[in-house]
Amino acid sequence: MAHLIESMFYVGETPWHGRGVPLQNSPSIDEALELAGMDFEVTKVPTYFETIQKNTGGGTSCREVKTGHFVTVRSDTGLPIGNVGTKYEVLQNKDAFEPFRVIADYGFKLHTAGVIDEGKKVWILAKTPESYQVGDDMIQDYILMYTSHDGSSGSCFRDTPIRVVCNNTLELALSKNLNHQYNLRHTASINQRVKDLTNALENRKGNVAKAIDKMNRFHDYDMGTTELQYYVEAVMPWLKNRHKESIPEMGIFVRNRAKPVYETITDLFHNGKGNKGRTLWDAYNAITEYHDHHKNHKDWVKGTQFGASQRDKANAYRIGLAMVENTNRSSTIVYN
């Protein structure tokens, strides 16, 4: 199975994920939950193990013993989702996304949504009214709203700008003073979570604008072959192994995964959609384009938005920011 997305919809033109059932108009939160297959409930049940003991009169018998741990289970399939602890509290999909009803007041429109990884995460992507410019590139602003049923995250939303020319999702690894991910407490009341979300929405627009300003510095930063090499290796250190070769006469065989990845990224630096092979902005987008459109993901959404690709894209932004903020270019990048 190429992808593990169970169900998904999108509005209008095919969005960045390239998959799903099209809709003509943006749905409401309630409609989105149903259309995306999120209209199931989750229960938390205790887990047991069997122990065999000898009976006084001879023979043996089995006894179930509580482990002290629990598993979350989907109501529609009866299948387990994930192992959780005693203190874990189930938050149903309808309750998790209840606070997000207020986004319509800010001009946000639901764009796509789905269930991934057998229900471990459910998510909704919303398009905001804002768009930005980096050089000649148009950046459309989105937020990715999600919650989990395996204990890996609470109810959150994350800034997810998208470069229109190539549909790359740009990961904003912002500083401690500038959030790009906002968490809503599971234990808080609906009213409190709505208040927390409203406050976060007020702050996020300024944070995204500041991040875009920094990306414009990427566009103004000239990058040659040597700096491109250092930058890519700093973002993805395992690519330094690309020079390893097999030595058959010595019985040494190496599966060199790093070389084709490095060559793809360097080619995208010059020839990727919207790239000219001249600046840090081109290099940053070469990495994001590789992860979003060239790397083979078992599950595209999980891989690009929550997995190793999301980490690499965050590193690409963070390291690029360090480069443009360092006036001594000879000592810009330090990595292991």
Side-chain angles (χ1 to χ4, degrees):
M1 185 180 296
H3 291 261
L4 296 179
I5 298 173
E6 296 180 28
S7 52
M8 175 182 289
F9 74 81
Y10 65 83
V11 177
E13 296 180 3
T14 304
W16 43 268
H17 54 73
R19 297 176 179 272
V21 178
L23 298 177
Q24 293 301 315
N25 299 306
S26 180
S28 66
I29 288 287
D30 288 334
E31 292 169 336
L33 292 175
E34 182 175 356
L35 289 166
M38 297 184 204
D39 52 344
F40 61 85
E41 293 193 343
V42 177
T43 57
K44 184 178 79 170
V45 298
T47 58
Y48 301 83
F49 70 92
E50 285 189 349
T51 180
I52 300 176
Q53 60 185 19
K54 292 182 178 180
N55 297 330
T56 305
T60 60
S61 61
C62 293
R63 185 168 66 93
E64 288 187 341
V65 180
K66 285 187 176 182
T67 64
H69 297 277
F70 296 78
V71 63
T72 49
V73 178
R74 285 181 60 158
S75 63
D76 56 343
T77 64
L79 297 176
I81 300 174
N83 296 307
V84 296
T86 305
K87 295 181 179 180
Y88 178 82
E89 295 184 12
V90 172
L91 186 66
Q92 304 298 344
N93 294 333
K94 61 182 178 64
D95 295 327
F97 290 108
E98 180 71 22
F100 292 106
R101 293 182 188 277
V102 302
I103 66 174
D105 297 335
Y106 290 82
F108 292 20
K109 293 185 178 181
L110 302 189
H111 192 61
T112 184
V115 179
I116 61 174
D117 208 7
E118 300 177 329
K120 288 183 173 65
K121 281 190 173 67
V122 294
W123 57 276
I124 295 175
L125 186 75
K127 187 176 183 179
T128 82
E130 285 81 37
S131 60
Y132 302 91
Q133 200 87 13
V134 175
D136 296 330
D137 281 332
M138 179 68 68
I139 308 298
Q140 179 60 56
D141 189 28
Y142 292 80
I143 60 171
L144 179 69
M145 305 173 289
Y146 62 95
T147 191
S148 74
H149 296 300
D150 62 351
S152 60
S153 73
S155 185
C156 315
F157 77 89
R158 178 194 301 161
D159 298 318
T160 309
I162 294 177
R163 187 188 187 201
V164 174
V165 68
C166 56
N167 284 338
N168 291 350
T169 56
L170 310 180
E171 184 64 32
L172 306 182
L174 303 183
S175 68
K176 292 181 179 180
N177 296 326
L178 296 178
N179 290 327
H180 84 298
Q181 179 167 300
Y182 308 84
N183 300 311
L184 304 182
R185 294 169 292 169
H186 272 196
T187 55
S189 67
I190 289 290
N191 288 339
Q192 183 60 49
R193 282 189 285 137
V194 169
K195 182 178 179 180
D196 291 343
L197 174 63
T198 302
N199 291 336
L201 290 174
E202 295 290 346
N203 293 329
R204 67 164 298 279
K205 184 176 178 180
N207 290 345
V208 172
K210 290 177 182 178
I212 296 296
D213 286 344
K214 295 179 187 299
M215 286 183 177
N216 270 293
R217 296 178 65 186
F218 288 18
H219 185 269
D220 296 334
Y221 187 103
D222 294 333
M223 176 164 280
T225 302
T226 300
E227 278 190 309
L228 173 65
Q229 173 188 327
Y230 290 158
Y231 174 65
V232 174
E233 289 179 350
V235 173
M236 303 166 66
W238 65 278
L239 294 183
K240 291 182 287 184
N241 297 324
R242 66 187 179 277
H243 302 298
K244 292 184 178 181
E245 301 290 346
S246 297
I247 310 176
E249 59 270 22
M250 298 180 61
I252 299 175
F253 296 92
V254 177
R255 184 182 178 185
N256 193 333
R257 293 174 52 249
K259 185 176 181 180
V261 172
Y262 182 84
E263 290 176 346
T264 297
I265 292 174
T266 54
D267 179 67
L268 290 171
F269 172 69
H270 295 282
N271 303 308
K273 293 182 179 179
N275 285 353
K276 302 178 178 66
R278 300 174 185 169
T279 68
L280 176 58
W281 179 240
D282 295 326
Y284 170 70
N285 278 287
I287 291 174
T288 59
E289 185 172 350
Y290 164 73
H291 282 292
D292 281 3
H293 304 294
H294 291 264
K295 183 177 180 179
N296 183 23
H297 296 284
K298 188 176 182 181
D299 180 331
W300 193 93
V301 177
K302 180 182 178 183
T304 62
Q305 303 305 309
F306 301 103
S309 288
Q310 185 262 336
R311 178 201 63 207
D312 285 346
K313 290 189 291 182
N315 283 342
Y317 179 88
R318 177 179 55 82
I319 292 169
L321 188 59
M323 293 172 68
V324 299
E325 290 183 344
N326 193 319
T327 55
N328 181 6
R329 293 180 70 153
S330 64
S331 61
T332 294
I333 305 176
V334 178
Y335 59 90
N336 295 325

